[in-house]
Amino acid sequence: MNTIYLLFTVLFGGAILTFLLGKLSRILYYIVFLLTMAAAVFVFYAQIRIGDTVNINVDDMQLQWGLTAFGWLFSLMVLGLGLLAAIYSIAYMKGKDRLGYFYLHFLISIGAMLGILLSRDLVSFFIFWEIMTWASYFIVVYSGKDVQKTGIRYILFSAIGAYAMLMAIVIIYGQTNSISIDDLAVNYSTFSTSLQIWIPLLLITAFAVKSALMPLHVWAPGAYANSPMAYTAVFSGALSKMGIYGMVIVFVTLIANLPQGVIIRDIIAWLGAITAVMGTFWAIAQDDAKKLLAYSSIGQLGYIIVGVAIGTSFAMMAALFMAIMHALFKGALFMAVGAVERQAGTTDLTEVTGLIRKMPWTFIASLISIIALAGIPPVGGFVGKWMLYESLISSDHYLLVILIFFASTAGFLYCYKFLFGFFLGQEEKEWEHVKEAPVMMVVPMMLMAVMALILGVFPGILLKPVDVAMQSMGYAETYGHLWSMSVLFNEWGNQVMLEPLFYAIIIVFMVFLVFLVLKGMKGTRYVTTKDISTSGEIPLEHENLTFKGNFFQPFLRAVDPVMKRQIMTYYRQIGDGLEAFFDFIRRVYSGNGQTYAIYVMIFLVILLLLKDSLFG
Amino acid sequence: MVGSPVFFIAIPLLVAFIIPLAGYVSKELVRILPGLVLIYLLALSFSLMGYVMEYGTIVEQIAGWAPPWGINLVYSPFTGFLTTLMLFIGLVIWIYSYRFKNVDFEEGKKFFILFLMLVTGAVGIVLTGDIFNQFVFIEITSIAGYALTAFYRGRDSAEASFKYLMIGSLSSMFLLLAIALIYSQLGTLNMADIASKSHLMLPEFKILALIFFIIGLGIEAEIFPLNGWAPDAYSQAPGPVGAAFAGIVVKAGVYAVIRIIFTLFDVEGTHEFLIVAGLITLLVAEMAALKQTRLKRMLAYSSIGQMGLVLIAFGIGTEAGVFAAIFLMFNHAIIKSLLFLSGSYLVYNSSEKFISEVNGMGKYLPITAVLFSLGAIAIVGMPPFAGFWSKWSVLTAAAHEGMFMIIGMILLVSIVELVYYFRIINRIFFFKMEDHIEPKRPTANALIAMFALGVIILVIGFYPGLITGYIHEASQSLLDKGKYIHDVLSAGVLTR
Amino acid sequence: MEMKLFDIDIIEYGFFITAIALVLIGLYAVLIKKSLIKIVIGLSILDSGINLLLITIGYVKGGTAPVFSPSVIKDMPLTMENIKKISEGMVDPIPQALVLTAIVIGFGVTAVALSLVIRLYRHHQTLNIDQIKNLKW
């Protein structure tokens, strides 16, 4: 059997098998689920080669499935994150009910995401996109909390995006009679100018919804926060990247040759930058770790979109690198939050404190991931951010750089809040009982954090595939290797590494830290938190000296004017207005039989009066 | 072949009137007979479809009178396809209603007699080639419909039935007026004959007759604003009957409108009229559906909206458009029936059938709930289920003609549909059940019926090719007016 | 049969007027009157009007019943031409067949309607259609 068919059979068949077999015995859930994921990973990486295609005939259309280098790059996120999240979810979901339902939709959504990456024609793309949407929907509403609000918001915005995409697809089909993406790239210049502008706009709308670009982002915080953390890792790590995948394709194949394309690029880039800034602000304002990470994701995606929109090879490389890094560290962070949720029972940053000694591994994973998020060397996030800044400057987008840099700096605030909130601070009796998360939860987290670290030191591991992917999308190898565009990198043997200059800086810091530690070693006394006196008062036994509430209040007060106007209120007004209008319309059916009869007569009169203009 | 098209009319009518007699022999026979009839007729229809796809239309002359004097039945790929579809839905509904709400013997007798008559009437509307014969069958269907709507004594079924009756009588009036006009001008009642002679009519009369036909048949086809009766009737009728209305009766009504417009008259501007009428029907119905508080009424509005979409597709007029329309009819019949059938179990024991009463049913009726959700997701047009392919066909048909505004409006309305269906899905699975409701488990026969429909939705979703061949033939048969006239009038003998 | 334009005589004219008048009266009753019984009566009148209209269409001036009885044939050989000539003096039978069917249908519908009215009265204690609006919107 063709390997692509095999892949889908494994995933979708495995999904159904997990659901059915699990009803017999709980253990079977875990076994079949993990086997399916593992098998999928195996089939994908061992069997499917780039360039394999499968053609399926439906009616008079030809569906085409095949793997490109670009798709392969994104598949790393989908399958890598998927497998790790799967292992994590075994432990995370222990004891919860409706497991079959969760695993079923988990596997279906992974299968759909791979399907998107494997689609070489527009119809398959749309089909898999929609499957991914409803599969992820069912997991988002899994917990049953706030379903009508979060769930409907998610499906509504997804639908707006998806139907915009469908409209573009049918228009394309109507114009060219072909659904192949390659054909589209070739024939695109034959469309009329207005179509040439509308089609990418429609497509970008679809992808913007999934990557939570403003103003289409309002579904994201609720969806990310309310779905089980095991899935949110996949959601923010892989699913949102599907939007990025689509956007890159749109920008590279469609807009690249469009004269008005520059305007679209600028608009999207600015929207991305604003998203980055606002996402960061909202994240700072959050007290719930889940919401904080959700808004942070929105912000990070904003960075990536800026890179994609700018479109120079350097910017694209930065964006793609950041995308994969984001999958890694965000995945790890969501897993960490899930671990805390399971062990401590809540994710409220103002309540939980002092878990650093009780959950050391979680802390280390979070620490490394936060460092990646903040963009500090030697962890990988730094490489991505640096490349983004450099690319923006080298393409003269100075204002954007200022915004991005500002967002990045503000990002430090919520980074710290996250770490401080959970792990640091004075320990409370409430949290005495908290133990480290089970191994199956910790290992994936640590793996991802370590990967982030490694990629920070040897970014070449990732940059090489990115290079190949970008070349397959048509970016020429203008400088030999794309990464040599940056001052950051140096080749050592076969590996791309950070410039020695940066190593020097890093080593200096490390030496300094070690020096500090050692200096304090001799004759240092270990003190408890409460061994202090504040203005002559000695704190009481039960007092907690860690201040958690109203974190960053001065900052929030400063940015309040910007934060006050929420897009959600406008949406809500539109929604309410529409519902009121519909309510008005439905009064046509007044319930009085005679009225209906009169309608018939009125219709007759109208037709008789207009018969000449209606019927020739 | 195992029989001729006449059997489609004769046998069910005969059996319908034998049922009370059979009841004296054995009580179970009352329930079994309709099923046997439907199974036989479905098999007959399948074999006839196979024949017709190869050799062309079958024209059956009743009592040997050749057209244009006699009444004839026309079994073409198009009419045959619809007939098979309707009989299949009828069979599924019969399986479902074998044990429904424990109707006792007396009531069960009436139910099955009326149900057989409903199916016969609908099949007759589709198969006949004579406009007065069509009128008669419309009346048979309508009267059976009035009685079935009022079947349950409680609730407001009498009110719904009376409204249906009032509007239905107006429909008869208009149809008779149209028939009178045509007969007075052309002297014939045979559809093919009228089609060949319609250019001989004075234009004013032709347009007048067309208008009368549109109104008369539009009432059956639920075009806005002629569909005031429909939400009431669908929601008050017993569950299986609601499914029958949505899956069988309205299809016959739309068929009749389309036959008049495409075959009988050749008037400019009818296509645009269809598109506009369909669009208004779609918009009003879906907007009303969003604000509904009762489940079956909401499904009724949704059904009306889908029929509006079918009219738009027919109005596009190209072969792609007609193909899309027939495909939509097929999918709608299957999916809407599933929704009505499963929805009936979700609100079984409630008297008001409020939507809030489906809260939490997912736990007690898991299979029914999943099937309902499947139907809901399918009808919105989500891949990989059947509804996607039909939506795709109608959108591409419109795209080929450059009708971008229409595509946009259809998609906007789809968003509305999605919202109200997903709200219900959320309620079913994630809300807590209301206190005064007792869930009722569906019986085995109901599950089989619903399952069959669900399986078809999945299968067609993955392999639409299974059915598209037939639909292509059907759409060609509809559009080929000359062939229709030729087949019927050239002393079309039933070849064996 | 040939097509007829407005080639009608005074009797036929009268029939047409009556038929249309009946239709209008029936419509008036259905659309304007509030009592259910009056509406049903209106439907019945409507049916009668339409039926009258149908028969009138088949009317041939001075025509006889469409039966080939000996008094009509009068020893003429039954050739196609003779049959055509004789039949031209006969009233058109087809509308009569249509009307027979329509009358029966109308009768059935009226019966159902009246039984529904009885049930509605029992349920709502009123025959005013404006008050029977439980199902709305």
Side-chain angles (χ1 to χ4, degrees):
Chain A
M1 180 199 278
N2 189 296
T3 44
I4 297 187
Y5 282 144
L6 183 62
L7 176 70
F8 286 126
T9 317
V10 165
L11 269 170
F12 293 121
I16 300 181
L17 267 183
T18 315
F19 184 73
L20 292 174
L21 288 182
K23 295 225 182 266
L24 299 173
S25 140
R26 247 182 143 79
I27 303 285
L28 276 180
Y29 272 140
Y30 307 137
I31 298 180
V32 182
F33 178 62
L34 280 181
L35 270 180
T36 314
M37 274 310 292
V41 173
F42 172 71
V43 170
F44 192 84
Y45 287 115
Q47 306 288 349
I48 301 185
R49 301 265 155 264
I50 295 182
D52 278 355
T53 52
V54 162
N55 289 326
I56 306 173
N57 279 316
V58 172
D59 212 17
D60 51 347
M61 296 184 298
Q62 207 189 45
L63 301 183
Q64 209 183 29
W65 296 346
L67 186 58
T68 61
F70 190 60
W72 190 86
L73 186 68
F74 280 80
S75 76
L76 291 176
M77 285 186 268
V78 174
L79 279 175
L81 200 50
L83 184 59
L84 291 174
I87 300 176
Y88 176 87
S89 69
I90 303 284
Y92 180 79
M93 304 292 290
K94 200 180 274 237
K96 302 211 182 168
D97 57 340
R98 286 203 281 209
L99 281 183
Y101 164 95
F102 178 81
Y103 291 134
L104 173 75
H105 291 288
F106 190 103
L107 288 172
I108 293 182
S109 66
I110 300 275
M113 284 193 257
L114 285 176
I116 293 177
L117 297 174
L118 286 172
S119 299
R120 305 303 319 140
D121 74 276
L122 296 166
V123 177
S124 323
F125 191 92
F126 181 76
I127 293 180
F128 284 119
W129 187 270
E130 288 286 77
I131 299 181
M132 174 183 81
T133 301
W134 59 254
S136 55
Y137 171 81
F138 280 118
I139 301 192
V140 164
V141 293
Y142 169 83
S143 64
K145 231 179 6 163
D146 265 348
V147 197
Q148 296 287 45
K149 210 171 73 162
T150 346
I152 298 292
R153 229 179 258 182
Y154 178 47
I155 203 85
L156 177 66
F157 279 92
S158 293
I160 294 177
Y163 287 139
M165 189 189 342
L166 186 59
M167 182 154 176
I169 295 179
V170 295
I171 295 180
I172 293 175
Y173 185 62
Q175 297 281 319
T176 64
N177 234 346
S178 137
I179 50 176
S180 153
I181 297 185
D182 302 319
D183 281 353
L184 172 62
V186 167
N187 289 329
Y188 190 63
S189 36
T190 62
F191 291 2
S192 74
T193 323
S194 60
L195 276 186
Q196 279 195 9
I197 298 187
W198 273 107
I199 291 182
L201 281 180
L202 287 171
L203 289 171
I204 289 181
T205 312
F207 301 129
V209 169
K210 268 297 184 301
S211 13
L213 182 66
M214 279 180 76
L216 299 166
H217 64 286
V218 289
W219 59 271
Y224 283 25
N226 280 343
S227 77
M229 286 293 121
Y231 191 70
T232 314
V234 173
F235 206 117
S236 92
L239 214 140
S240 52
K241 305 305 185 308
M242 293 296 124
I244 305 285
Y245 176 79
M247 262 205 227
V248 173
I249 295 184
V250 170
F251 272 107
V252 170
T253 53
L254 299 185
I255 298 194
N257 305 322
L258 198 59
Q260 297 88 339
V262 184
I263 308 177
I264 302 183
R265 277 188 200 279
D266 280 341
I267 297 179
I268 302 292
W270 276 96
L271 281 177
I274 298 177
T275 311
V277 171
M278 294 309 296
T280 313
F281 283 177
W282 287 319
I284 295 174
Q286 296 303 316
D287 280 334
D288 179 21
K290 294 190 200 173
K291 284 259 172 69
L292 188 149
L293 287 181
Y295 280 111
S296 154
S297 286
I298 299 177
Q300 301 290 314
L301 286 168
Y303 291 133
I304 301 175
I305 293 177
V306 170
V308 168
I310 297 299
T312 63
S313 26
F314 198 2
M316 190 65 76
M317 182 168 71
L320 291 175
F321 189 89
M322 283 192 78
I324 302 190
M325 285 308 304
H326 177 255
L328 280 177
F329 62 69
K330 241 339 146 19
L333 280 173
F334 274 114
M335 288 189 188
V337 171
V340 172
E341 185 186 23
R342 239 188 94 82
Q343 302 301 107
T346 174
T347 53
D348 192 328
L349 286 168
T350 57
E351 289 190 13
V352 184
T353 106
L355 295 179
I356 179 171
R357 241 178 276 228
K358 304 195 185 73
M359 302 178 72
W361 290 109
T362 314
F363 172 69
I364 295 179
S366 308
L367 180 65
I368 301 181
S369 307
I370 288 286
I371 297 180
L373 201 161
I376 304 173
V379 190
F382 165 71
V383 175
K385 285 227 172 108
W386 176 279
M387 285 202 286
L388 186 62
Y389 300 145
E390 211 180 334
S391 65
L392 285 177
I393 294 181
S394 69
S395 52
D396 297 336
H397 289 94
Y398 298 113
L399 279 176
L400 278 177
V401 174
I402 295 177
L403 268 184
I404 298 280
F405 202 75
F406 176 56
S408 228
T409 320
F412 285 136
L413 291 178
Y414 70 73
C415 290
Y416 181 68
K417 182 172 185 173
F418 183 82
L419 275 181
F420 179 75
F422 276 156
F423 301 106
L424 305 176
Q426 178 181 331
E427 295 172 2
E428 275 277 342
K429 261 210 215 29
E430 239 183 301
W431 313 114
E432 288 285 312
H433 64 91
V434 172
K435 284 189 308 230
E436 179 57 88
V439 173
M440 277 181 108
M441 287 168 83
V442 170
V443 167
M445 267 194 277
M446 284 303 298
L447 263 177
M448 290 202 281
V450 167
M451 274 299 294
L453 188 56
I454 294 180
L455 281 179
V457 180
F458 296 108
I461 302 179
L462 192 52
L463 284 175
K464 288 207 188 116
V466 169
D467 194 36
V468 174
M470 283 175 65
Q471 279 176 37
S472 85
M473 289 295 294
Y475 280 93
E477 227 184 323
T478 44
Y479 299 88
H481 294 287
L482 286 171
W483 56 76
S484 42
M485 289 187 277
S486 167
V487 300
L488 192 54
F489 302 121
N490 196 357
E491 250 185 80
W492 188 36
N494 210 1
Q495 296 280 40
V496 176
M497 295 174 49
L498 290 185
E499 280 278 334
L501 173 63
F502 289 92
Y503 279 129
I505 301 179
I506 293 170
I507 291 177
V508 166
F509 267 118
M510 305 283 261
V511 166
F512 185 60
L513 280 173
V514 168
F515 171 70
L516 278 181
V517 170
L518 282 181
K519 182 169 192 296
M521 270 302 228
K522 228 182 359 194
T524 47
R525 195 166 49 103
Y526 190 59
V527 295
T528 64
T529 324
K530 297 226 177 99
D531 190 5
I532 57 171
S533 62
T534 52
S535 312
E537 293 176 31
I538 301 182
L540 297 168
E541 191 54 49
H542 58 275
E543 240 181 297
N544 192 318
L545 298 170
T546 320
F547 283 100
K548 295 276 200 72
N550 261 328
F551 226 78
F552 299 134
Q553 196 198 31
F555 176 80
L556 290 174
R557 246 189 310 183
V559 298
D560 191 50
V562 180
M563 303 252 283
K564 236 202 322 226
R565 277 187 225 105
Q566 299 220 11
I567 301 218
M568 197 56 217
T569 36
Y570 293 130
Y571 284 133
R572 216 174 275 134
Q573 280 170 355
I574 297 178
D576 289 340
L578 277 179
E579 293 221 10
F581 176 64
F582 292 172
D583 211 19
F584 171 70
I585 291 283
R586 76 171 175 140
R587 309 258 151 169
V588 168
Y589 293 94
S590 68
N592 185 331
Q594 246 175 10
T595 319
Y596 299 151
I598 296 181
Y599 288 159
V600 173
M601 287 312 177
I602 295 180
F603 193 58
L604 171 69
V605 168
I606 294 180
L607 281 185
L608 286 174
L609 288 178
L610 296 179
K611 67 172 149 66
D612 294 315
S613 48
L614 278 177
F615 306 116
Chain B
M1 279 192 303
V2 292
S4 84
V6 158
F7 289 4
F8 287 118
I9 316 292
I11 294 190
L13 275 180
L14 188 63
V15 173
F17 294 114
I18 288 184
I19 284 184
L21 300 175
Y24 291 120
V25 171
S26 139
K27 306 255 191 257
E28 278 310 303
L29 211 54
V30 164
R31 290 178 204 270
I32 294 183
L33 271 181
L36 292 177
V37 166
L38 285 170
I39 293 177
Y40 169 67
L41 287 180
L42 189 60
L44 175 62
S45 193
F46 274 128
S47 82
L48 282 181
M49 267 307 273
Y51 180 85
V52 150
M53 296 286 284
E54 284 247 6
Y55 297 109
T57 311
I58 302 176
V59 178
E60 169 87 2
Q61 298 153 5
I62 308 285
W65 287 96
W69 295 282
I71 294 179
N72 56 313
L73 299 177
V74 180
Y75 194 98
S76 74
F78 181 44
T79 57
F81 181 78
L82 282 179
T83 309
T84 318
L85 178 64
M86 289 197 235
L87 287 172
F88 176 72
I89 301 284
L91 181 63
V92 169
I93 296 180
W94 171 76
I95 298 178
Y96 178 91
S97 54
Y98 195 79
R99 297 224 171 283
F100 184 73
K101 288 230 162 144
N102 269 331
V103 289
D104 62 4
F105 175 60
E106 280 303 314
E107 301 282 318
K109 247 188 340 192
K110 292 183 215 157
F111 181 84
F112 286 109
I113 297 177
L114 290 168
F115 182 69
L116 268 185
M117 278 178 57
L118 189 75
V119 176
T120 312
V123 168
I125 296 176
V126 172
L127 281 182
T128 184
D130 176 290
I131 51 177
F132 189 74
N133 201 227
Q134 195 178 63
F135 166 74
V136 171
F137 280 121
I138 290 179
E139 291 307 306
I140 295 181
T141 315
S142 300
I143 296 184
Y146 307 151
L148 281 174
T149 309
F151 198 73
Y152 289 137
R153 300 215 160 234
R155 301 183 352 226
D156 298 309
S157 39
E159 179 186 334
S161 181
F162 190 79
K163 286 184 211 165
Y164 186 7
L165 194 149
M166 267 175 71
I167 314 289
S169 303
L170 285 183
S171 147
S172 327
M173 171 187 100
F174 280 110
L175 281 178
L176 282 176
L177 274 177
I179 293 175
L181 210 62
I182 290 189
Y183 187 72
S184 75
Q185 293 300 304
L186 295 179
T188 173
L189 293 171
N190 185 296
M191 285 186 190
D193 208 22
I194 298 176
S196 62
K197 290 187 186 156
S198 72
H199 58 276
L200 297 174
M201 275 176 87
L202 289 179
E204 294 87 47
F205 281 134
K206 195 153 74 157
I207 295 183
L208 201 58
L210 179 66
I211 292 180
F212 285 147
F213 263 125
I214 287 180
I215 297 189
L217 297 169
I219 291 179
E220 283 301 313
E222 291 161 26
I223 303 180
F224 184 82
L226 310 169
N227 56 15
W229 59 271
D232 298 357
Y234 280 41
S235 56
Q236 291 304 313
V241 175
F245 281 155
I248 304 182
V249 174
V250 74
K251 306 287 181 299
V254 170
Y255 165 82
V257 177
I258 294 304
R259 182 57 85 191
I260 299 296
I261 289 185
F262 275 66
T263 308
L264 260 61
F265 290 118
D266 204 0
V267 179
E268 254 181 61
T270 42
H271 289 296
E272 282 79 17
F273 171 76
L274 276 178
I275 294 184
V276 172
L279 203 53
I280 299 180
T281 310
L282 176 68
L283 288 171
V284 172
E286 298 289 359
M287 287 200 259
L290 184 66
K291 298 299 292 177
Q292 288 304 309
T293 48
R294 288 163 208 264
L295 184 68
K296 291 230 212 125
R297 212 171 155 83
M298 186 204 83
L299 289 176
Y301 279 114
S302 178
S303 182
I304 297 174
Q306 295 288 319
M307 283 300 119
L309 190 57
V310 169
L311 287 174
I312 297 178
F314 272 122
I316 296 180
T318 59
E319 206 224 311
V322 174
F323 171 81
I326 301 179
F327 202 178
L328 276 170
M329 281 210 274
F330 173 80
N331 276 331
H332 174 81
I334 306 237
I335 304 179
K336 227 355 140 359
S337 306
L338 177 63
L339 281 174
F340 268 103
L341 294 181
S342 52
S344 293
Y345 268 106
L346 289 177
V347 287
Y348 199 90
N349 276 328
S350 97
S351 54
E352 290 293 326
K353 314 268 186 243
F354 281 125
I355 289 185
S356 54
E357 291 165 358
V358 305
N359 287 358
M361 282 295 171
K363 224 188 323 180
Y364 299 95
L365 307 173
I367 303 184
T368 316
V370 165
L371 285 170
F372 186 88
S373 312
L374 176 66
I377 301 183
I379 204 152
V380 177
M382 285 252 183
F385 306 118
F388 167 67
W389 296 111
S390 48
K391 198 152 243 169
W392 167 261
S393 334
V394 72
L395 289 175
T396 46
H400 275 296
E401 303 298 309
M403 303 175 169
F404 299 143
M405 285 296 292
I406 296 186
I407 297 180
M409 284 206 248
I410 295 179
L411 288 174
L412 282 174
V413 159
S414 304
I415 298 182
V416 173
E417 265 184 348
L418 211 134
V419 170
Y420 64 73
Y421 273 118
F422 268 88
R423 277 191 189 157
I424 297 189
I425 295 183
N426 284 345
R427 279 181 183 276
I428 295 178
F429 288 110
F430 299 107
F431 280 41
K432 252 171 39 115
M433 197 166 76
E434 298 210 341
D435 294 320
H436 56 278
I437 303 292
E438 288 172 31
K440 164 108 168 65
R441 287 242 149 75
T443 52
N445 58 308
L447 279 176
I448 295 177
M450 296 194 279
F451 233 79
L453 291 176
V455 164
I456 294 186
I457 295 178
L458 284 173
V459 167
I460 300 289
F462 286 109
Y463 292 111
L466 283 178
I467 204 92
T468 48
Y470 295 108
I471 301 184
H472 272 302
E473 277 292 327
S475 55
Q476 272 164 12
S477 143
L478 173 64
L479 286 171
D480 201 343
K481 187 164 120 165
K483 189 165 177 310
Y484 178 85
I485 299 177
H486 171 82
D487 281 337
V488 172
L489 289 183
S490 63
V493 192
L494 179 65
T495 50
R496 287 192 188 272
Chain C
M1 254 203 70
E2 285 159 7
M3 276 183 301
K4 293 211 282 210
L5 286 176
F6 288 111
D7 180 26
I8 50 182
D9 64 359
I10 198 74
I11 299 185
E12 226 177 314
Y13 207 55
F15 277 134
F16 270 126
I17 301 279
T18 319
I20 294 180
L22 280 176
V23 169
L24 289 174
I25 294 176
L27 272 180
Y28 166 75
V30 169
L31 296 178
I32 313 285
K33 286 295 179 187
K34 296 297 170 196
S35 160
L36 286 178
I37 299 275
K38 291 189 186 168
I39 292 179
V40 177
I41 294 179
L43 286 175
S44 191
I45 297 178
L46 202 53
D47 279 333
S48 307
I50 297 283
N51 294 337
L52 190 56
L53 191 67
L54 270 175
I55 297 191
T56 317
I57 288 180
Y59 181 71
V60 168
K61 181 171 171 189
T64 59
V67 178
F68 279 96
S69 61
S71 56
V72 175
I73 297 181
K74 284 199 257 248
D75 297 328
M76 269 198 275
L78 287 170
T79 61
M80 274 311 291
E81 282 172 35
N82 281 348
I83 293 184
K84 265 213 189 129
K85 220 164 21 144
I86 298 177
S87 63
E88 270 165 33
M90 291 179 180
V91 177
D92 191 345
I94 289 196
Q96 303 191 348
L98 304 188
V99 165
L100 272 175
T101 322
I103 292 178
V104 172
I105 292 175
F107 150 72
V109 171
T110 312
V112 175
L114 287 174
S115 65
L116 284 174
V117 169
I118 295 179
R119 233 167 84 179
L120 276 172
Y121 182 71
R122 279 208 203 120
H123 196 62
H124 292 262
Q125 257 73 52
T126 174
L127 285 178
N128 188 339
I129 197 170
D130 280 339
Q131 312 233 339
I132 304 182
K133 290 200 294 187
N134 275 351
L135 302 167
K136 44 188 177 199
W137 307 327

